[in-house]
């Protein structure tokens, strides 16, 4: 089986897509559990919206910090 540069790029892109999907799933789960305390209606309360936005931002900030740490090693 040939390991062409195109195949390697394709595999790398697919790995990145999978990691992004996992991150979004984890982010959704963690922030939902933290911020949504009751069954939501047709829209989130202002407190829930603020909590979700802050939670997502902190989660993404930490993901960037962790990724940079791995790059340095």
């Amino acid at each position: 089986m040939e390991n062409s540069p195109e195949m390697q790029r394709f595999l790398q892109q697919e790995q990145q897509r999978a990691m992004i999907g996992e991150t979004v799933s984890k982010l959704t789960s963690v922030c939902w559990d933290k911020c949504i305390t009751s069954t939501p209606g047709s829209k989130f309360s202002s407190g829930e919206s603020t909590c979700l936005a802050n939670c997502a931002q902190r989660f993404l900030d930490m993901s960037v910090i962790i990724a940079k740490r791995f790059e340095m090693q």
Side-chain angles (χ1 to χ4, degrees), residues 44-62:
F44 298 122
S45 71
S46 63
E48 290 170 333
S49 294
T50 300
C51 181
L52 287 168
N54 290 336
C55 180
Q57 188 60 55
R58 283 193 307 271
F59 190 91
L60 294 173
D61 289 345
M62 287 307 300

Side-chain angles (χ1 to χ4, degrees), residues 7-55:
M7 179 61 84
Q8 290 175 355
R9 273 193 299 276
F10 172 77
L11 292 173
Q12 187 176 32
Q13 288 172 343
E14 289 302 308
Q15 286 175 328
Q16 289 173 345
R17 283 189 186 112
M19 287 187 345
I20 289 168
E22 287 176 32
T23 300
V24 168
S25 177
K26 181 72 172 173
L27 169 86
T28 302
S29 177
V30 167
C31 293
W32 184 272
D33 290 345
K34 177 178 174 46
C35 299
I36 308 302
T37 57
S38 62
T39 304
S42 60
K43 60 182 186 176
F44 298 122
S45 71
S46 63
E48 290 170 333
S49 294
T50 300
C51 181
L52 287 168
N54 290 336
C55 180

